[in-house]
Amino acid sequence: MNLSDAVAAFCFGYPFVMSIYWMAGGLLYQRLRTRHEPPADRPPVLARHPPVSILVPCHNESRQLAETFAALQRVAYPDYEVIAINDGSSDDTGARLDALAAHMPRLRVVHLQSNQGKSTALNAGALAARHELLACIDGDALLDPHALTWLVRRFQSDPAIGALTGNPRIRNRATLLGRLQVGEFSSILGLIKRAQTVYGQLFTVSGVICAFRKRALHDAGWWARDALTDDVDVSWRIQLAGWRIVFEPKALCWILMPETLRGLWRQRLRWAEGGTSTMIKVFPALWTPPSRWRLIPVWMNYVVAIAWSYTIVAALVARAVHEVAGALGHALPWAWSGFSPIPQVWGAVLGLTYLLQAVLSMAIDERFERGLLRTLFWIVWYPLVFWTLQAATAIVGLPRALLRGRPERATWTSPDRGLR
Amino acid sequence: MSNNGDAPAWPPVIARARAPWPLRARDALLTLLAWFVLLWVLRDALLTLLAGISPETAARTADWLEHRLSPLLGHLVPVAPSAFWLELSDFLVVAALFVAWLAVWGWLNRKQLQRQPPAAGASDHASPAALPPHEQFAAAGLDQQAPLWQQTRRLHVEFDDAGRVLQAHDDDAPRV
């Protein structure tokens, strides 16, 4: 096999093999766990109800607070408190939280005088939290009434679990971008988390809905204030500290996602840069005793995904150069002509494999959200447009992560929350 | 705030109906167009896939499509299906190895995956000990401050430039 064939095999083979791997993971998870479990809307009564602290970091969330805290009042769990952390908001978030606290006995508010970033806000909230189990949601996320029960139940089932990731569901579906992400969260993220739970190591919890034992966070060194993606960073350190993380798909949380290309780009670029920074940061720890060698395949998958993005771009550039040189009558010093941007047979196989993955994942997720299969109509954009966006953010994210230099405190700006 | 006054309908999906109809119509039309573009781009490839399963059906479909949609599709030439399946088989073998690896881990982890919480009345000795507040506050460099942080309803926290907590005080307590 020459270089050209090897590159072609990699560009086709990586997403093809991984797609089959994620689908198998989803099916194995169904076989090994889901079929033994009750429906998400009918949780069993727990033998004990250990108290839980719900942390809600907020930065300029004034518009979302009423809904977020109304949903928190509907939580069907007997013993919980809510800690809202106002992270130096410049709008009236602080005043609104104080007003909510006056009428909501479970709610306490921590005001950070200046914007410190989500990690510091969560650390402050954890200090204020009275209980060992922490559930974390974003200031614009609506927690399902039974989510807390499912999270606690999973902690009770296994003392080795240090953290849990819940199942974020997209709320805003008014535009094409919103509906596209509905499919993405099922077909990509949902299957990946199921497969990684079967394997035993997760790439990350979802910061928008996750839960921790304080003991595990303490062993991991709490949230890192320089982490761009606090959830990825803390997930790796918790697993490096010897704790397990698993997916609890019945712990639902309804979230808002960007509905403009600019908002989506900024979000995905932050994810890519933050993920890459974490991979760089944790690399030495993977080899330091006690070795956490089972994390290495998860680490390698992330690195290979970045390499794949660069390879695709190199192939497209090579084709463009080849075509231009050919049109001008020049001979190039290399033989590799790259790929056409028009999919050929292998592109068709990839497209069809992805559609199969989408159908399978949505069939699995129908258990949690009736009518999900209807969003398949919109999924066509995923292989046409979304893969390009993902690859582009991976490509831009790598140099940004490498050139980031000295770690700084990662503060936040209010994201695009879609059409409402 | 009332208990349910601001509560959204459940599940709290913000539906298409909230978007203006021109936006909805545009999205639907563009998506239909995208499906046609995808199928058009993949026409030869799809026929090849079909030929790998049933050469006769692929040939009949190609004839039919050329006859009906000739100006759009041009001449349809499925590539040799045997070569296609031969090449794909290598990738399928690799995928099968990965799936086997995952299945082995699933089998090894099956007890963890199927574990249920202890029944009512069962002892809970397996739960890890809770983190004592003094350990957490010592790690944060805030010894002796647990009562202030954990009993205050409205806490105000100030930080220095390095992000360390300078001081925390109860917003409801009179400042000295």
Side-chain angles (χ1 to χ4, degrees):
Chain A
M1 182 186 281
N2 58 28
L3 177 67
S4 178
D5 288 345
V7 169
F10 173 57
C11 288
F12 166 77
Y14 173 67
F16 177 73
V17 168
M18 290 314 293
S19 181
I20 292 177
Y21 181 82
W22 303 135
M23 285 191 276
L27 291 172
L28 280 168
Y29 188 89
Q30 287 292 105
R31 171 82 186 165
L32 291 168
R33 177 146 186 97
T34 305
R35 72 191 182 111
H36 302 283
E37 289 286 285
D41 56 353
R42 288 195 294 278
V45 176
L46 302 182
R48 289 189 316 109
H49 292 92
V52 181
S53 300
I54 303 176
L55 308 187
V56 191
C58 306
H59 176 71
N60 294 346
E61 302 282 6
S62 181
R63 277 187 67 199
Q64 280 76 35
L65 292 179
E67 278 189 329
T68 300
F69 286 86
L72 285 172
Q73 294 205 91
R74 292 165 41 139
V75 167
Y77 191 82
D79 194 357
Y80 70 98
E81 64 171 359
V82 182
I83 314 283
I85 309 103
N86 168 31
D87 186 13
S89 298
S90 54
D91 64 2
D92 64 346
T93 295
R96 281 177 174 259
L97 286 173
D98 285 343
L100 285 167
H103 297 95
M104 189 175 166
R106 293 181 191 274
L107 173 63
R108 292 189 289 129
V109 185
V110 178
H111 294 283
L112 309 189
Q113 189 185 35
S114 53
N115 180 207
Q116 297 293 318
K118 189 176 175 185
S119 292
T120 303
L122 287 168
N123 284 330
L127 285 165
R130 294 169 181 151
H131 309 309
E132 169 68 8
L133 298 182
L134 305 179
C136 306
I137 64 167
D138 281 356
D140 57 357
L142 307 186
L143 192 65
D144 187 85
H146 301 300
L148 220 51
T149 304
W150 289 117
L151 291 171
V152 169
R153 181 174 177 271
R154 199 78 170 94
F155 274 128
Q156 288 179 331
S157 72
D158 190 344
I161 292 175
L164 294 166
T165 180
N167 189 353
R169 315 301 312 169
I170 310 290
R171 285 186 68 197
N172 45 335
R173 304 169 186 191
T175 66
L176 201 51
L177 276 181
R179 287 191 293 277
L180 196 51
Q181 290 170 91
V182 175
E184 181 202 14
F185 269 65
S186 298
S187 63
I188 303 292
L189 302 182
L191 280 188
I192 288 176
K193 282 181 181 164
R194 285 177 174 88
Q196 291 182 338
T197 297
V198 169
Y199 172 61
Q201 305 287 322
L202 255 71
F203 176 73
T204 184
V205 298
S206 295
V208 69
I209 168 67
C210 49
F212 303 90
R213 293 186 199 273
K214 270 189 181 173
R215 173 66 71 182
L217 283 168
H218 187 71
D219 290 348
W222 300 93
W223 284 278
R225 56 199 300 274
D226 62 334
L228 261 183
T229 41
D230 52 281
D231 44 5
V232 180
D233 183 87
V234 82
S235 299
W236 279 78
R237 285 185 293 107
I238 283 174
Q239 290 177 113
L240 285 168
W243 292 89
R244 288 178 57 230
I245 301 180
V246 299
F247 181 39
E248 178 47 75
K250 296 182 292 303
L252 305 177
C253 186
W254 298 85
I255 66 172
L256 296 171
M257 293 297 277
E259 284 191 291
T260 62
L261 273 175
R262 180 184 162 83
L264 192 63
W265 168 260
R266 288 176 60 175
Q267 181 197 55
R268 298 309 163 102
L269 184 57
R270 186 176 66 80
W271 288 1
E273 186 181 347
T276 306
S277 295
T278 303
M279 295 306 99
I280 294 168
K281 183 175 160 182
V282 301
F283 181 69
L286 294 175
W287 311 97
T288 309
S291 171
R292 302 297 175 195
W293 66 269
R294 279 182 64 193
L295 278 165
I296 293 172
V298 185
W299 187 91
M300 284 179 62
N301 179 46
Y302 191 87
V303 173
V304 171
I306 295 175
W308 181 84
S309 301
Y310 274 93
T311 310
I312 289 287
V313 168
L316 292 174
V317 170
R319 169 54 67 102
V321 171
H322 195 84
E323 293 289 331
V324 170
L328 297 174
H330 295 296
L332 291 171
W334 66 86
W336 187 41
S337 59
F339 306 140
S340 161
I342 306 295
Q344 306 298 316
V345 176
W346 301 109
V349 174
L350 275 186
L352 291 173
T353 308
Y354 174 70
L355 291 177
L356 179 63
Q357 180 181 329
V359 171
L360 174 72
S361 64
M362 288 189 189
I364 289 174
D365 265 12
E366 272 270 329
R367 184 181 167 98
F368 309 109
E369 198 183 334
R370 298 270 174 257
L372 195 61
L373 281 165
R374 284 198 295 269
T375 61
L376 273 174
F377 173 66
W378 310 100
I379 210 74
V380 65
W381 292 104
Y382 203 91
L384 285 178
V385 176
F386 229 68
W387 277 351
T388 311
L389 179 82
Q390 298 286 65
T393 55
I395 287 164
V396 179
L398 176 64
R400 283 170 65 110
L402 290 171
L403 298 172
R404 205 169 158 223
R406 199 170 64 83
E408 294 172 358
R409 187 177 61 218
T411 55
W412 51 7
T413 52
S414 296
D416 166 14
R417 293 196 177 87
L419 187 67
R420 304 190 60 188
Chain B
M1 187 169 81
S2 68
N3 266 352
N4 295 307
D6 295 310
W10 212 264
V13 171
I14 301 167
R16 288 184 67 202
R18 299 229 188 146
W21 74 263
L23 197 68
R24 283 184 278 146
R26 182 203 67 184
D27 287 352
L29 280 173
L30 282 175
T31 304
L32 267 178
L33 192 63
W35 278 108
F36 282 120
V37 168
L38 186 70
L39 293 175
W40 182 79
V41 164
L42 301 181
R43 62 196 188 281
D44 283 345
L46 290 171
L47 279 174
T48 299
L49 285 176
L50 188 58
I53 299 162
S54 168
E56 297 79 19
T57 311
R60 275 204 307 273
T61 307
D63 282 347
W64 186 84
L65 286 171
E66 274 193 62
H67 180 69
R68 298 290 170 110
L69 300 168
S70 182
L72 275 177
L73 292 171
H75 183 57
L76 294 165
V77 188
V79 299
S82 55
F84 165 75
W85 286 112
L86 193 64
E87 286 190 50
L88 190 63
S89 64
D90 292 342
F91 296 104
L92 287 172
V93 167
V94 175
L97 289 174
F98 273 77
V99 170
W101 152 273
L102 186 63
V104 167
W105 281 110
W107 185 79
L108 292 173
N109 292 332
R110 68 192 186 285
K111 285 186 179 163
Q112 288 171 340
L113 287 164
Q114 293 169 2
R115 194 172 283 169
Q116 298 292 316
S123 65
D124 197 23
H125 61 274
S127 287
L131 182 72
H134 68 83
E135 274 190 52
Q136 185 184 0
F137 280 80
L142 299 168
D143 293 300
Q144 315 296 325
Q145 290 199 33
L148 171 69
W149 281 74
Q150 298 193 343
Q151 285 166 28
T152 303
R153 280 189 62 78
R154 294 196 308 133
L155 188 75
H156 194 96
V157 186
E158 295 175 22
F159 293 84
D160 65 12
D161 290 340
R164 288 184 295 262
V165 174
L166 267 184
Q167 60 170 322
H169 59 82
D170 183 349
D171 269 358
D172 296 322
R175 301 293 300 274
V176 180

